[in-house]
Amino acid sequence: DAKTTQPNSMESNEEEPVHLPCNHSTISGTDYIHWYRQLPSQGPEYVIHGLTSNVNNRMASLAIAEDRKSSTLILHRATLRDAAVYYCILYDNYGQNFVFGPGTRLSVLP
Amino acid sequence: ETGVTQTPRHLVMGMTNKKSLKCEQHLGHNAMYWYKQSAKKPLELMFVYNFKEQTENNSVPSRFSPECPNSSHLFLHLHTLQPEDSALYLCASSQEVAGQGLFGYTFGSGTRLTIV
C-alpha cells in the first residue's frame, strides 16, 4: 500500500502558485520523498525529490516539514501544461520499489 | 523522449494471440521495471529486474512472462490474455540497487494494450 495521502484533486489559476500537499506520517529516517507527475497519455515524469532540506529545481520546489511527516510541492507559476496527476511517493524498502497511490489531479484554469 | 523507449505504443490483440512488449534504455541504469496502469487505478508494480536478475514478481499471473536479456532491454511476453488485462503498460529504469530510493525512475511513454 502507498504510504502517502494526497487530496484527490486541486484547481489552480494560470500563472498563480500552486501548493500540493502530501502527508507521510509513517516515514522512516532514511526514506526519500519523491514527486512525479503524469500528463495525459504519458508515463510518469520525475519532478523532484528530497530527504530533509527543502529542494529547488527548474520544475518546482519541495518544502519538507521539520518532522518529515508532510511535504509540499510548489509550482511557482502554474501553466496549462502543468495540468497532470501529481504523485507523492516514498520508497518501499521491503519491496525495493516505489509504490504509487492515486495522486492529486491538478486542473489549471486559464 | 525520456531515454526509455517502449514499443509498440498501441497494441490490440485477441485473447488467443501471443505478443511481446519491448522496452529499451541507454541511460546506463541497472534496474528495470514493468508497471500496469488500469483505468482509474494507481500504477501497480509487476516485475523488477536488478542487473538482469528478477528480484520481484508481484503476484502476476503466468500469462505475463518477463525477459531481461541485458541491462538495456526488457520484454513482456503476453499470451492468452483476458479483457481485464487491457491497460497501459509502463516500463521504467533507475540506478537503484540497494534501496532507500536515492535515485528516481525514468519512465517510458507506455504501451496501450487492448484485449478484444
Side-chain angles (χ1 to χ4, degrees):
Chain A
D1 289 347
K3 297 189 288 185
T4 62
T5 55
Q6 301 175 251
N8 288 335
S9 62
M10 290 184 65
E11 261 185 15
S12 172
N13 293 317
E14 197 176 9
E15 299 189 5
E16 289 187 357
V18 184
H19 291 234
L20 297 163
C22 179
N23 287 318
H24 28 78
S25 57
T26 60
I27 192 170
S28 74
T30 56
D31 284 344
Y32 280 80
I33 302 157
H34 285 249
W35 283 82
Y36 287 78
R37 71 179 186 180
Q38 188 172 18
L39 280 66
S41 302
Q42 294 188 29
E45 171 189 31
Y46 167 83
V47 177
I48 200 166
H49 78 287
L51 184 62
T52 55
S53 305
N54 294 344
V55 184
N56 300 295
N57 66 22
R58 63 175 181 81
M59 289 181 72
S61 295
L62 176 60
I64 301 172
E66 198 168 328
D67 64 4
R68 299 203 337 117
K69 294 187 176 182
S70 65
S71 61
T72 302
L73 180 71
I74 302 165
L75 307 179
H76 296 286
R77 287 180 72 235
T79 70
L80 297 178
R81 289 174 293 179
D82 291 323
V85 178
Y86 286 78
Y87 300 99
C88 167
I89 314 162
L90 301 183
Y91 191 75
D92 180 348
N93 282 297
Y94 176 75
Q96 300 278 291
N97 63 83
F98 288 110
V99 179
F100 285 76
T104 296
R105 182 172 297 279
L106 175 67
S107 301
V108 180
L109 307 176
Chain B
E1 285 296 328
T2 66
V4 176
T5 303
Q6 289 188 244
T7 55
R9 289 297 304 273
H10 301 272
L11 177 62
V12 179
M13 58 186 283
M15 288 190 283
T16 58
N17 291 158
K18 289 184 180 181
K19 296 285 184 183
S20 296
L21 309 184
K22 179 181 176 182
C23 176
E24 185 173 354
Q25 61 92 7
H26 296 288
L27 300 169
H29 291 169
N30 46 263
M32 297 186 77
Y33 313 82
W34 280 117
Y35 279 85
K36 173 184 177 183
Q37 187 173 34
S38 304
K40 301 189 187 303
K41 291 177 70 174
L43 278 77
E44 301 171 61
L45 179 70
M46 299 176 74
F47 301 104
V48 180
Y49 278 83
N50 262 315
F51 292 106
K52 304 186 298 179
E53 298 297 321
Q54 186 180 126
T55 57
E56 180 78 16
N57 175 341
N58 205 23
S59 303
V60 180
S62 60
R63 57 185 183 269
F64 295 92
S65 174
E67 179 190 0
C68 189
N70 54 62
S71 58
S72 298
H73 294 86
L74 185 64
F75 295 90
L76 188 62
H77 303 299
L78 316 171
H79 62 99
T80 58
L81 296 193
Q82 304 299 310
E84 62 265 29
D85 297 322
S86 296
L88 180 67
Y89 288 85
L90 290 158
C91 173
S93 70
S94 78
Q95 292 175 264
E96 196 63 57
V97 176
Q100 284 194 303
L102 176 59
F103 301 104
Y105 286 8
T106 302
F107 282 85
S109 298
T111 294
R112 174 70 62 187
L113 176 65
T114 304
I115 305 301
V116 297

